[in-house]
Amino acid sequence: QVQLVESGGGLVQAGGSLRLSCVVSGRTFSSRPMGWFRQAPGKEREFVAAINWSTGSTDYADSVKGRFTISRDNAKNTMYLQMNSLAPEDTAIYYCAARNLVRFGLPRKDYEYDYWGQGTQVTVSS
C-alpha cells in the first residue's frame, strides 16, 4: 500500500522559513515525477513544485521560484520542500503527490498525479 505522509508545517512569521517533508512508503517512484501542491481557503489547489525522482530535475511555479527549493533523498525515500522568505499569501495546506506512470517532463496539473498525502498546514502571519 502506497503512503505519502507530510510533516513540517506550522505557524511562522512573514520572512521566516519552514521545511516540509514527504515520506514515501509502499513503493519507489524511480523515474517518476513527484510534486508539491497547495490549497488556500476558498481557492483551488495549485501547483508549487515538482521533481523527477531519478534525475533530480525540477520545476517551480513562478510565485515560489527563488524562494522555495524541492529536493529528495533517495536513501530515506523522502521528498522535501524548503520554503524561505515566506509571505502571508503562502498560507495554505500543502500536499505532496506522486505519479504512478513514467512520463516525459514534470506535470503541473493535479490530475496527472495518482497518490496524495493528507496535507500539512502552513500559516504565515504578517
mmCIF file of all heavy atoms in Angstrom, residues 37-87:
data_model
loop_
_atom_site.group_PDB
_atom_site.id
_atom_site.type_symbol
_atom_site.label_atom_id
_atom_site.label_comp_id
_atom_site.label_asym_id
_atom_site.label_seq_id
_atom_site.Cartn_x
_atom_site.Cartn_y
_atom_site.Cartn_z
ATOM 1 N N PHE A 37 1.820 20.524 -4.002
ATOM 2 C CA PHE A 37 0.715 21.403 -4.339
ATOM 3 C C PHE A 37 0.246 22.077 -3.058
ATOM 4 O O PHE A 37 0.580 21.644 -1.962
ATOM 5 C CB PHE A 37 -0.445 20.595 -4.947
ATOM 6 C CG PHE A 37 -0.171 20.085 -6.338
ATOM 7 C CD1 PHE A 37 0.658 18.996 -6.537
ATOM 8 C CD2 PHE A 37 -0.737 20.691 -7.437
ATOM 9 C CE1 PHE A 37 0.925 18.518 -7.823
ATOM 10 C CE2 PHE A 37 -0.492 20.232 -8.725
ATOM 11 C CZ PHE A 37 0.344 19.142 -8.912
ATOM 12 N N ARG A 38 -0.547 23.113 -3.206
ATOM 13 C CA ARG A 38 -1.115 23.772 -2.033
ATOM 14 C C ARG A 38 -2.519 24.247 -2.327
ATOM 15 O O ARG A 38 -2.873 24.516 -3.482
ATOM 16 C CB ARG A 38 -0.234 24.935 -1.573
ATOM 17 C CG ARG A 38 -0.161 26.103 -2.542
ATOM 18 C CD ARG A 38 0.861 27.118 -2.045
ATOM 19 N NE ARG A 38 0.941 28.273 -2.939
ATOM 20 C CZ ARG A 38 1.819 29.256 -2.791
ATOM 21 N NH1 ARG A 38 2.718 29.230 -1.805
ATOM 22 N NH2 ARG A 38 1.809 30.277 -3.639
ATOM 23 N N GLN A 39 -3.288 24.362 -1.267
ATOM 24 C CA GLN A 39 -4.663 24.852 -1.399
ATOM 25 C C GLN A 39 -4.974 25.801 -0.266
ATOM 26 O O GLN A 39 -4.938 25.417 0.910
ATOM 27 C CB GLN A 39 -5.662 23.695 -1.418
ATOM 28 C CG GLN A 39 -7.075 24.126 -1.735
ATOM 29 C CD GLN A 39 -7.986 22.964 -2.057
ATOM 30 O OE1 GLN A 39 -7.723 21.825 -1.699
ATOM 31 N NE2 GLN A 39 -9.079 23.243 -2.749
ATOM 32 N N ALA A 40 -5.247 27.038 -0.627
ATOM 33 C CA ALA A 40 -5.630 28.054 0.339
ATOM 34 C C ALA A 40 -7.152 28.051 0.496
ATOM 35 O O ALA A 40 -7.868 27.602 -0.408
ATOM 36 C CB ALA A 40 -5.143 29.422 -0.126
ATOM 37 N N PRO A 41 -7.655 28.559 1.620
ATOM 38 C CA PRO A 41 -9.106 28.579 1.830
ATOM 39 C C PRO A 41 -9.831 29.309 0.708
ATOM 40 O O PRO A 41 -9.446 30.412 0.319
ATOM 41 C CB PRO A 41 -9.245 29.332 3.157
ATOM 42 C CG PRO A 41 -7.958 29.113 3.852
ATOM 43 C CD PRO A 41 -6.914 29.059 2.788
ATOM 44 N N GLY A 42 -10.852 28.668 0.155
ATOM 45 C CA GLY A 42 -11.643 29.280 -0.895
ATOM 46 C C GLY A 42 -11.002 29.287 -2.262
ATOM 47 O O GLY A 42 -11.548 29.871 -3.202
ATOM 48 N N LYS A 43 -9.846 28.644 -2.384
ATOM 49 C CA LYS A 43 -9.143 28.632 -3.668
ATOM 50 C C LYS A 43 -8.934 27.205 -4.151
ATOM 51 O O LYS A 43 -8.999 26.255 -3.382
ATOM 52 C CB LYS A 43 -7.795 29.351 -3.556
ATOM 53 C CG LYS A 43 -7.906 30.831 -3.256
ATOM 54 C CD LYS A 43 -6.554 31.504 -3.347
ATOM 55 C CE LYS A 43 -6.660 33.005 -3.136
ATOM 56 N NZ LYS A 43 -5.348 33.684 -3.245
ATOM 57 N N GLU A 44 -8.650 27.079 -5.437
ATOM 58 C CA GLU A 44 -8.360 25.769 -5.987
ATOM 59 C C GLU A 44 -6.936 25.343 -5.619
ATOM 60 O O GLU A 44 -6.072 26.180 -5.351
ATOM 61 C CB GLU A 44 -8.515 25.803 -7.519
ATOM 62 C CG GLU A 44 -9.947 25.996 -7.984
ATOM 63 C CD GLU A 44 -10.096 25.855 -9.478
ATOM 64 O OE1 GLU A 44 -9.079 25.712 -10.179
ATOM 65 O OE2 GLU A 44 -11.250 25.882 -9.940
ATOM 66 N N ARG A 45 -6.737 24.047 -5.648
ATOM 67 C CA ARG A 45 -5.395 23.527 -5.403
ATOM 68 C C ARG A 45 -4.474 23.970 -6.538
ATOM 69 O O ARG A 45 -4.857 23.921 -7.717
ATOM 70 C CB ARG A 45 -5.444 22.002 -5.308
ATOM 71 C CG ARG A 45 -4.151 21.360 -4.886
ATOM 72 C CD ARG A 45 -4.393 19.946 -4.377
ATOM 73 N NE ARG A 45 -5.131 19.112 -5.293
ATOM 74 C CZ ARG A 45 -5.572 17.893 -4.994
ATOM 75 N NH1 ARG A 45 -5.341 17.378 -3.801
ATOM 76 N NH2 ARG A 45 -6.238 17.197 -5.892
ATOM 77 N N GLU A 46 -3.270 24.385 -6.191
ATOM 78 C CA GLU A 46 -2.348 24.890 -7.207
ATOM 79 C C GLU A 46 -0.988 24.217 -7.083
ATOM 80 O O GLU A 46 -0.556 23.798 -6.016
ATOM 81 C CB GLU A 46 -2.178 26.408 -7.085
ATOM 82 C CG GLU A 46 -1.510 26.883 -5.821
ATOM 83 C CD GLU A 46 -1.229 28.390 -5.839
ATOM 84 O OE1 GLU A 46 -1.476 29.057 -6.853
ATOM 85 O OE2 GLU A 46 -0.729 28.889 -4.810
ATOM 86 N N PHE A 47 -0.348 24.161 -8.220
ATOM 87 C CA PHE A 47 0.992 23.591 -8.324
ATOM 88 C C PHE A 47 2.001 24.482 -7.622
ATOM 89 O O PHE A 47 1.956 25.722 -7.744
ATOM 90 C CB PHE A 47 1.354 23.437 -9.799
ATOM 91 C CG PHE A 47 2.784 23.088 -10.073
ATOM 92 C CD1 PHE A 47 3.243 21.801 -9.901
ATOM 93 C CD2 PHE A 47 3.672 24.068 -10.503
ATOM 94 C CE1 PHE A 47 4.555 21.475 -10.161
ATOM 95 C CE2 PHE A 47 4.991 23.759 -10.765
ATOM 96 C CZ PHE A 47 5.444 22.461 -10.590
ATOM 97 N N VAL A 48 2.938 23.848 -6.918
ATOM 98 C CA VAL A 48 4.024 24.581 -6.275
ATOM 99 C C VAL A 48 5.374 24.215 -6.898
ATOM 100 O O VAL A 48 6.113 25.080 -7.364
ATOM 101 C CB VAL A 48 4.058 24.309 -4.760
ATOM 102 C CG1 VAL A 48 5.267 24.978 -4.115
ATOM 103 C CG2 VAL A 48 2.766 24.772 -4.103
ATOM 104 N N ALA A 49 5.684 22.919 -6.900
ATOM 105 C CA ALA A 49 6.979 22.469 -7.413
ATOM 106 C C ALA A 49 6.900 20.990 -7.725
ATOM 107 O O ALA A 49 6.042 20.276 -7.193
ATOM 108 C CB ALA A 49 8.087 22.733 -6.401
ATOM 109 N N ALA A 50 7.808 20.540 -8.601
ATOM 110 C CA ALA A 50 7.872 19.119 -8.951
ATOM 111 C C ALA A 50 9.316 18.708 -9.158
ATOM 112 O O ALA A 50 10.177 19.544 -9.460
ATOM 113 C CB ALA A 50 7.057 18.834 -10.206
ATOM 114 N N ILE A 51 9.573 17.417 -8.998
ATOM 115 C CA ILE A 51 10.920 16.877 -9.157
ATOM 116 C C ILE A 51 10.838 15.481 -9.754
ATOM 117 O O ILE A 51 9.894 14.735 -9.464
ATOM 118 C CB ILE A 51 11.650 16.856 -7.791
ATOM 119 C CG1 ILE A 51 13.122 16.475 -7.964
ATOM 120 C CG2 ILE A 51 10.956 15.924 -6.809
ATOM 121 C CD1 ILE A 51 13.951 16.729 -6.697
ATOM 122 N N ASN A 52 11.774 15.160 -10.613
ATOM 123 C CA ASN A 52 11.891 13.790 -11.099
ATOM 124 C C ASN A 52 12.731 13.017 -10.106
ATOM 125 O O ASN A 52 13.859 13.409 -9.804
ATOM 126 C CB ASN A 52 12.535 13.755 -12.486
ATOM 127 C CG ASN A 52 12.629 12.337 -13.034
ATOM 128 O OD1 ASN A 52 13.429 11.539 -12.564
ATOM 129 N ND2 ASN A 52 11.790 12.039 -14.008
ATOM 130 N N TRP A 53 12.177 11.912 -9.603
ATOM 131 C CA TRP A 53 12.833 11.216 -8.500
ATOM 132 C C TRP A 53 14.211 10.705 -8.878
ATOM 133 O O TRP A 53 15.113 10.661 -8.049
ATOM 134 C CB TRP A 53 11.956 10.037 -8.056
ATOM 135 C CG TRP A 53 12.412 9.443 -6.765
ATOM 136 C CD1 TRP A 53 13.200 8.356 -6.573
ATOM 137 C CD2 TRP A 53 12.115 9.940 -5.452
ATOM 138 N NE1 TRP A 53 13.414 8.133 -5.234
ATOM 139 C CE2 TRP A 53 12.766 9.090 -4.523
ATOM 140 C CE3 TRP A 53 11.374 11.025 -4.982
ATOM 141 C CZ2 TRP A 53 12.692 9.291 -3.151
ATOM 142 C CZ3 TRP A 53 11.302 11.217 -3.608
ATOM 143 C CH2 TRP A 53 11.943 10.358 -2.717
ATOM 144 N N SER A 54 14.388 10.334 -10.135
ATOM 145 C CA SER A 54 15.676 9.770 -10.544
ATOM 146 C C SER A 54 16.679 10.821 -10.980
ATOM 147 O O SER A 54 17.832 10.793 -10.558
ATOM 148 C CB SER A 54 15.461 8.761 -11.683
ATOM 149 O OG SER A 54 14.735 7.649 -11.231
ATOM 150 N N THR A 55 16.240 11.739 -11.845
ATOM 151 C CA THR A 55 17.181 12.703 -12.409
ATOM 152 C C THR A 55 17.392 13.916 -11.518
ATOM 153 O O THR A 55 18.407 14.591 -11.617
ATOM 154 C CB THR A 55 16.691 13.199 -13.770
ATOM 155 O OG1 THR A 55 15.495 13.967 -13.588
ATOM 156 C CG2 THR A 55 16.417 12.020 -14.710
ATOM 157 N N GLY A 56 16.409 14.200 -10.663
ATOM 158 C CA GLY A 56 16.515 15.389 -9.824
ATOM 159 C C GLY A 56 16.135 16.671 -10.532
ATOM 160 O O GLY A 56 16.256 17.755 -9.942
ATOM 161 N N SER A 57 15.678 16.582 -11.773
ATOM 162 C CA SER A 57 15.256 17.804 -12.469
ATOM 163 C C SER A 57 14.036 18.387 -11.753
ATOM 164 O O SER A 57 13.227 17.657 -11.187
ATOM 165 C CB SER A 57 14.930 17.506 -13.926
ATOM 166 O OG SER A 57 13.879 16.576 -14.020
ATOM 167 N N THR A 58 13.931 19.710 -11.777
ATOM 168 C CA THR A 58 12.899 20.395 -11.003
ATOM 169 C C THR A 58 12.138 21.416 -11.830
ATOM 170 O O THR A 58 12.593 21.862 -12.889
ATOM 171 C CB THR A 58 13.516 21.113 -9.795
ATOM 172 O OG1 THR A 58 14.491 22.055 -10.256
ATOM 173 C CG2 THR A 58 14.173 20.124 -8.845
ATOM 174 N N ASP A 59 10.973 21.777 -11.309
ATOM 175 C CA ASP A 59 10.147 22.821 -11.902
ATOM 176 C C ASP A 59 9.434 23.534 -10.774
ATOM 177 O O ASP A 59 9.076 22.901 -9.771
ATOM 178 C CB ASP A 59 9.135 22.216 -12.882
ATOM 179 C CG ASP A 59 8.334 23.258 -13.611
ATOM 180 O OD1 ASP A 59 8.862 24.377 -13.853
ATOM 181 O OD2 ASP A 59 7.161 22.995 -13.944
ATOM 182 N N TYR A 60 9.234 24.843 -10.937
ATOM 183 C CA TYR A 60 8.611 25.638 -9.893
ATOM 184 C C TYR A 60 7.537 26.552 -10.473
ATOM 185 O O TYR A 60 7.670 27.066 -11.588
ATOM 186 C CB TYR A 60 9.643 26.516 -9.185
ATOM 187 C CG TYR A 60 10.705 25.760 -8.444
ATOM 188 C CD1 TYR A 60 11.909 25.432 -9.060
ATOM 189 C CD2 TYR A 60 10.513 25.369 -7.119
ATOM 190 C CE1 TYR A 60 12.892 24.733 -8.380
ATOM 191 C CE2 TYR A 60 11.490 24.674 -6.432
ATOM 192 C CZ TYR A 60 12.678 24.355 -7.067
ATOM 193 O OH TYR A 60 13.649 23.664 -6.391
ATOM 194 N N ALA A 61 6.517 26.802 -9.682
ATOM 195 C CA ALA A 61 5.570 27.845 -10.027
ATOM 196 C C ALA A 61 6.273 29.194 -9.913
ATOM 197 O O ALA A 61 7.172 29.372 -9.076
ATOM 198 C CB ALA A 61 4.372 27.804 -9.078
ATOM 199 N N ASP A 62 5.868 30.136 -10.746
ATOM 200 C CA ASP A 62 6.505 31.446 -10.739
ATOM 201 C C ASP A 62 6.403 32.109 -9.365
ATOM 202 O O ASP A 62 7.312 32.847 -8.955
ATOM 203 C CB ASP A 62 5.859 32.349 -11.785
ATOM 204 C CG ASP A 62 6.240 31.943 -13.207
ATOM 205 O OD1 ASP A 62 7.208 31.170 -13.370
ATOM 206 O OD2 ASP A 62 5.562 32.402 -14.151
ATOM 207 N N SER A 63 5.318 31.858 -8.666
ATOM 208 C CA SER A 63 5.084 32.522 -7.385
ATOM 209 C C SER A 63 6.061 32.092 -6.293
ATOM 210 O O SER A 63 6.207 32.791 -5.279
ATOM 211 C CB SER A 63 3.656 32.254 -6.917
ATOM 212 O OG SER A 63 3.426 30.861 -6.778
ATOM 213 N N VAL A 64 6.734 30.964 -6.479
ATOM 214 C CA VAL A 64 7.652 30.478 -5.439
ATOM 215 C C VAL A 64 9.091 30.386 -5.932
ATOM 216 O O VAL A 64 10.001 30.117 -5.125
ATOM 217 C CB VAL A 64 7.206 29.096 -4.893
ATOM 218 C CG1 VAL A 64 5.762 29.147 -4.427
ATOM 219 C CG2 VAL A 64 7.420 27.998 -5.918
ATOM 220 N N LYS A 65 9.300 30.605 -7.212
ATOM 221 C CA LYS A 65 10.645 30.478 -7.771
ATOM 222 C C LYS A 65 11.602 31.438 -7.077
ATOM 223 O O LYS A 65 11.298 32.612 -6.882
ATOM 224 C CB LYS A 65 10.598 30.761 -9.275
ATOM 225 C CG LYS A 65 11.788 30.266 -10.053
ATOM 226 C CD LYS A 65 11.558 30.429 -11.539
ATOM 227 C CE LYS A 65 10.432 29.561 -12.038
ATOM 228 N NZ LYS A 65 10.256 29.644 -13.511
ATOM 229 N N GLY A 66 12.749 30.913 -6.680
ATOM 230 C CA GLY A 66 13.745 31.718 -5.984
ATOM 231 C C GLY A 66 13.571 31.716 -4.483
ATOM 232 O O GLY A 66 14.466 32.147 -3.756
ATOM 233 N N ARG A 67 12.418 31.255 -3.994
ATOM 234 C CA ARG A 67 12.175 31.212 -2.545
ATOM 235 C C ARG A 67 12.064 29.776 -2.030
ATOM 236 O O ARG A 67 12.461 29.497 -0.897
ATOM 237 C CB ARG A 67 10.871 31.952 -2.203
ATOM 238 C CG ARG A 67 10.880 33.412 -2.589
ATOM 239 C CD ARG A 67 9.633 34.121 -2.047
ATOM 240 N NE ARG A 67 8.396 33.554 -2.586
ATOM 241 C CZ ARG A 67 7.407 33.100 -1.810
ATOM 242 N NH1 ARG A 67 7.515 33.118 -0.489
ATOM 243 N NH2 ARG A 67 6.303 32.621 -2.367
ATOM 244 N N PHE A 68 11.490 28.900 -2.829
ATOM 245 C CA PHE A 68 11.285 27.508 -2.438
ATOM 246 C C PHE A 68 12.264 26.609 -3.190
ATOM 247 O O PHE A 68 12.610 26.888 -4.342
ATOM 248 C CB PHE A 68 9.861 27.051 -2.764
ATOM 249 C CG PHE A 68 8.778 27.681 -1.931
ATOM 250 C CD1 PHE A 68 9.027 28.762 -1.093
ATOM 251 C CD2 PHE A 68 7.485 27.186 -1.994
ATOM 252 C CE1 PHE A 68 8.023 29.337 -0.336
ATOM 253 C CE2 PHE A 68 6.464 27.737 -1.243
ATOM 254 C CZ PHE A 68 6.741 28.823 -0.421
ATOM 255 N N THR A 69 12.670 25.512 -2.530
ATOM 256 C CA THR A 69 13.535 24.524 -3.166
ATOM 257 C C THR A 69 12.992 23.127 -2.902
ATOM 258 O O THR A 69 12.797 22.754 -1.739
ATOM 259 C CB THR A 69 14.966 24.620 -2.631
ATOM 260 O OG1 THR A 69 15.476 25.939 -2.858
ATOM 261 C CG2 THR A 69 15.869 23.619 -3.346
ATOM 262 N N ILE A 70 12.773 22.383 -3.972
ATOM 263 C CA ILE A 70 12.321 20.992 -3.850
ATOM 264 C C ILE A 70 13.536 20.079 -3.987
ATOM 265 O O ILE A 70 14.445 20.341 -4.780
ATOM 266 C CB ILE A 70 11.246 20.667 -4.908
ATOM 267 C CG1 ILE A 70 10.623 19.296 -4.654
ATOM 268 C CG2 ILE A 70 11.805 20.778 -6.323
ATOM 269 C CD1 ILE A 70 9.407 19.008 -5.548
ATOM 270 N N SER A 71 13.547 19.018 -3.196
ATOM 271 C CA SER A 71 14.661 18.074 -3.262
ATOM 272 C C SER A 71 14.171 16.710 -2.795
ATOM 273 O O SER A 71 13.044 16.570 -2.312
ATOM 274 C CB SER A 71 15.824 18.554 -2.403
ATOM 275 O OG SER A 71 15.435 18.611 -1.035
ATOM 276 N N ARG A 72 15.015 15.704 -2.959
ATOM 277 C CA ARG A 72 14.651 14.365 -2.464
ATOM 278 C C ARG A 72 15.895 13.657 -1.968
ATOM 279 O O ARG A 72 17.010 13.923 -2.416
ATOM 280 C CB ARG A 72 13.929 13.540 -3.537
ATOM 281 C CG ARG A 72 14.835 12.744 -4.507
ATOM 282 C CD ARG A 72 15.377 13.625 -5.571
ATOM 283 N NE ARG A 72 16.073 12.860 -6.595
ATOM 284 C CZ ARG A 72 17.323 13.095 -6.937
ATOM 285 N NH1 ARG A 72 18.013 14.068 -6.338
ATOM 286 N NH2 ARG A 72 17.898 12.377 -7.891
ATOM 287 N N ASP A 73 15.670 12.743 -1.041
ATOM 288 C CA ASP A 73 16.733 11.899 -0.505
ATOM 289 C C ASP A 73 16.339 10.467 -0.814
ATOM 290 O O ASP A 73 15.439 9.909 -0.179
ATOM 291 C CB ASP A 73 16.870 12.126 1.000
ATOM 292 C CG ASP A 73 18.020 11.365 1.604
ATOM 293 O OD1 ASP A 73 18.341 10.257 1.115
ATOM 294 O OD2 ASP A 73 18.596 11.845 2.585
ATOM 295 N N ASN A 74 17.005 9.886 -1.811
ATOM 296 C CA ASN A 74 16.630 8.539 -2.246
ATOM 297 C C ASN A 74 16.772 7.518 -1.128
ATOM 298 O O ASN A 74 15.947 6.626 -0.977
ATOM 299 C CB ASN A 74 17.483 8.117 -3.443
ATOM 300 C CG ASN A 74 17.146 8.908 -4.690
ATOM 301 O OD1 ASN A 74 16.257 9.751 -4.679
ATOM 302 N ND2 ASN A 74 17.861 8.661 -5.771
ATOM 303 N N ALA A 75 17.824 7.661 -0.335
ATOM 304 C CA ALA A 75 18.088 6.682 0.724
ATOM 305 C C ALA A 75 16.987 6.696 1.778
ATOM 306 O O ALA A 75 16.664 5.661 2.364
ATOM 307 C CB ALA A 75 19.437 6.961 1.360
ATOM 308 N N LYS A 76 16.424 7.875 2.016
ATOM 309 C CA LYS A 76 15.366 7.997 3.021
ATOM 310 C C LYS A 76 13.978 7.931 2.422
ATOM 311 O O LYS A 76 12.989 8.014 3.161
ATOM 312 C CB LYS A 76 15.533 9.315 3.785
ATOM 313 C CG LYS A 76 16.809 9.404 4.591
ATOM 314 C CD LYS A 76 16.884 10.710 5.370
ATOM 315 C CE LYS A 76 18.146 10.771 6.217
ATOM 316 N NZ LYS A 76 18.242 12.035 6.981
ATOM 317 N N ASN A 77 13.918 7.820 1.089
ATOM 318 C CA ASN A 77 12.622 7.796 0.405
ATOM 319 C C ASN A 77 11.766 8.987 0.818
ATOM 320 O O ASN A 77 10.553 8.857 1.086
ATOM 321 C CB ASN A 77 11.878 6.489 0.675
ATOM 322 C CG ASN A 77 11.396 5.836 -0.608
ATOM 323 O OD1 ASN A 77 11.948 6.072 -1.686
ATOM 324 N ND2 ASN A 77 10.361 5.038 -0.503
ATOM 325 N N THR A 78 12.384 10.139 0.860
ATOM 326 C CA THR A 78 11.743 11.350 1.359
ATOM 327 C C THR A 78 11.958 12.504 0.398
ATOM 328 O O THR A 78 13.057 12.677 -0.135
ATOM 329 C CB THR A 78 12.290 11.730 2.744
ATOM 330 O OG1 THR A 78 12.060 10.641 3.647
ATOM 331 C CG2 THR A 78 11.610 12.979 3.286
ATOM 332 N N MET A 79 10.885 13.256 0.180
ATOM 333 C CA MET A 79 10.950 14.479 -0.616
ATOM 334 C C MET A 79 10.799 15.669 0.322
ATOM 335 O O MET A 79 10.094 15.573 1.326
ATOM 336 C CB MET A 79 9.828 14.475 -1.660
ATOM 337 C CG MET A 79 9.780 15.696 -2.542
ATOM 338 S SD MET A 79 8.520 15.585 -3.833
ATOM 339 C CE MET A 79 7.009 15.572 -2.871
ATOM 340 N N TYR A 80 11.451 16.776 -0.031
ATOM 341 C CA TYR A 80 11.430 17.960 0.826
ATOM 342 C C TYR A 80 10.976 19.190 0.034
ATOM 343 O O TYR A 80 11.098 19.250 -1.179
ATOM 344 C CB TYR A 80 12.829 18.236 1.389
ATOM 345 C CG TYR A 80 13.404 17.096 2.182
ATOM 346 C CD1 TYR A 80 14.322 16.221 1.606
ATOM 347 C CD2 TYR A 80 13.043 16.894 3.515
ATOM 348 C CE1 TYR A 80 14.872 15.174 2.331
ATOM 349 C CE2 TYR A 80 13.584 15.849 4.246
ATOM 350 C CZ TYR A 80 14.492 14.987 3.648
ATOM 351 O OH TYR A 80 15.029 13.953 4.374
ATOM 352 N N LEU A 81 10.491 20.152 0.777
ATOM 353 C CA LEU A 81 10.222 21.481 0.222
ATOM 354 C C LEU A 81 10.754 22.499 1.224
ATOM 355 O O LEU A 81 10.156 22.690 2.285
ATOM 356 C CB LEU A 81 8.742 21.701 -0.049
ATOM 357 C CG LEU A 81 8.408 23.009 -0.761
ATOM 358 C CD1 LEU A 81 8.941 22.986 -2.196
ATOM 359 C CD2 LEU A 81 6.909 23.281 -0.754
ATOM 360 N N GLN A 82 11.885 23.090 0.893
ATOM 361 C CA GLN A 82 12.450 24.153 1.722
ATOM 362 C C GLN A 82 11.803 25.462 1.303
ATOM 363 O O GLN A 82 11.894 25.852 0.125
ATOM 364 C CB GLN A 82 13.966 24.226 1.540
ATOM 365 C CG GLN A 82 14.622 25.346 2.317
ATOM 366 C CD GLN A 82 14.540 25.165 3.819
ATOM 367 O OE1 GLN A 82 14.741 24.061 4.328
ATOM 368 N NE2 GLN A 82 14.222 26.242 4.542
ATOM 369 N N MET A 83 11.172 26.140 2.237
ATOM 370 C CA MET A 83 10.439 27.366 1.942
ATOM 371 C C MET A 83 11.073 28.514 2.705
ATOM 372 O O MET A 83 11.076 28.510 3.947
ATOM 373 C CB MET A 83 8.962 27.214 2.324
ATOM 374 C CG MET A 83 8.297 26.004 1.692
ATOM 375 S SD MET A 83 6.523 25.931 2.029
ATOM 376 C CE MET A 83 6.540 25.679 3.803
ATOM 377 N N ASN A 84 11.609 29.471 1.987
ATOM 378 C CA ASN A 84 12.239 30.655 2.581
ATOM 379 C C ASN A 84 11.460 31.904 2.196
ATOM 380 O O ASN A 84 10.666 31.887 1.259
ATOM 381 C CB ASN A 84 13.687 30.770 2.100
ATOM 382 C CG ASN A 84 14.546 29.592 2.507
ATOM 383 O OD1 ASN A 84 14.317 28.970 3.541
ATOM 384 N ND2 ASN A 84 15.528 29.275 1.686
ATOM 385 N N SER A 85 11.729 32.970 2.919
ATOM 386 C CA SER A 85 11.073 34.261 2.645
ATOM 387 C C SER A 85 9.558 34.091 2.523
ATOM 388 O O SER A 85 8.932 34.603 1.598
ATOM 389 C CB SER A 85 11.630 34.872 1.359
ATOM 390 O OG SER A 85 13.034 35.055 1.442
ATOM 391 N N LEU A 86 8.993 33.398 3.473
ATOM 392 C CA LEU A 86 7.556 33.116 3.427
ATOM 393 C C LEU A 86 6.744 34.394 3.575
ATOM 394 O O LEU A 86 7.135 35.324 4.301
ATOM 395 C CB LEU A 86 7.182 32.108 4.502
ATOM 396 C CG LEU A 86 7.565 30.659 4.181
ATOM 397 C CD1 LEU A 86 7.576 29.806 5.441
ATOM 398 C CD2 LEU A 86 6.609 30.080 3.154
ATOM 399 N N ALA A 87 5.613 34.408 2.880
ATOM 400 C CA ALA A 87 4.704 35.551 2.896
ATOM 401 C C ALA A 87 3.299 35.064 3.256
ATOM 402 O O ALA A 87 2.997 33.875 3.110
ATOM 403 C CB ALA A 87 4.704 36.220 1.526
#
